[in-house]
Amino acid sequence: TIKTSARSRSMRIAVRADGEVVVTAPRFVPGFVVRAFVEKHRDWIQKHTTRARGRTTVQVHRAEVMELKKKAQQYLEKECAEVAQKYGLEYQKITVRAQRSRWGSCSKSGNLSFNYKIMALPDHVARYVVVHEICHLRELNHSKRFWALVAKEVPDYLAVRRELRKTQVVIK
């Protein structure tokens, strides 16, 4: 898809979650220049469309977002309490947010933050995210000790982590 923009000062290419390629160009750039730009970046486009096709995309409708946030808060309070008890760890509070690039995070002060989209993930993947963040309460890094902690609860964490990286939740 080629889009023209009065505000755009340069051309750019984006590959959407579904693999669609969108080229944005300033309004008065001739078509042959846009085609040359696309041709010049053919390898980059091919690499990123292939990557997008290999992903699992879960679509969530905007109308479901508030309900998803409520469910996420309930689920995370239950799961975090259970996992933290198994590890003998304590956390301060749980926050559910709309994060763009993270599934979860853990602060030095023991606050856990999760993406509400976690509820759109398969159960075993969502559980992995919870375990991952709870383990950061003891090891605030990704050292061998950290991964050994994760492996106690999720022995196949490498496969689950790969699955998580290939999963994308898109709001429509």
Side-chain angles (χ1 to χ4, degrees):
T1 304
I2 298 173
K3 292 169 51 176
T4 57
S5 169
R7 296 184 329 174
S8 182
R9 301 181 96 190
S10 60
M11 288 189 281
R12 66 181 175 275
I13 301 172
V15 178
R16 292 189 175 157
D18 60 1
E20 180 187 7
V21 178
V22 179
V23 179
T24 305
R27 184 180 293 170
F28 299 108
V29 173
F32 74 90
V33 173
V34 174
R35 285 189 293 279
F37 180 74
V38 169
E39 186 60 37
K40 179 181 175 187
H41 293 90
R42 177 184 294 277
D43 292 342
W44 184 92
I45 293 168
Q46 194 160 17
K47 174 183 162 189
H48 286 83
T49 54
T50 301
R51 187 181 295 168
R53 283 188 210 111
R55 286 190 177 137
T56 302
T57 302
V58 179
Q59 292 187 0
V60 175
H61 295 283
R62 286 202 190 284
E64 299 175 56
V65 170
M66 288 308 293
E67 186 62 29
L68 222 51
K69 287 180 181 180
K70 288 177 189 172
K71 283 183 181 178
Q73 188 72 44
Q74 293 169 349
Y75 168 80
L76 290 164
E77 286 174 6
K78 177 183 160 289
E79 288 296 311
C80 287
E82 181 184 310
V83 174
Q85 183 181 7
K86 282 185 178 182
Y87 281 100
L89 299 168
E90 292 182 16
Y91 53 89
Q92 296 301 311
K93 67 177 181 175
I94 298 171
T95 308
V96 176
R97 299 181 180 174
Q99 298 167 314
R100 285 183 161 212
S101 61
R102 292 178 184 249
W103 290 105
S105 62
C106 176
S107 72
K108 288 180 183 177
S109 57
N111 295 321
L112 302 173
S113 180
F114 293 93
N115 192 325
Y116 75 91
K117 294 176 186 176
I118 195 172
M119 295 310 299
L121 297 174
D123 292 342
H124 69 286
V125 179
R127 173 94 173 169
Y128 160 77
V129 174
V130 170
V131 169
H132 183 108
E133 298 311 328
I134 292 292
C135 288
H136 276 311
L137 293 168
R138 181 165 295 148
E139 292 289 333
L140 204 55
N141 55 49
H142 289 112
S143 65
K144 287 183 181 181
R145 289 189 311 264
F146 169 80
W147 291 114
L149 280 174
V150 172
K152 286 181 181 179
E153 188 67 23
V154 186
D156 62 338
Y157 74 89
L158 285 173
V160 178
R161 188 172 177 221
R162 271 193 297 277
E163 186 177 347
L164 177 63
R165 286 182 169 180
K166 288 184 176 186
T167 304
Q168 188 170 10
V169 179
V170 177
I171 306 300
K172 289 276 182 173

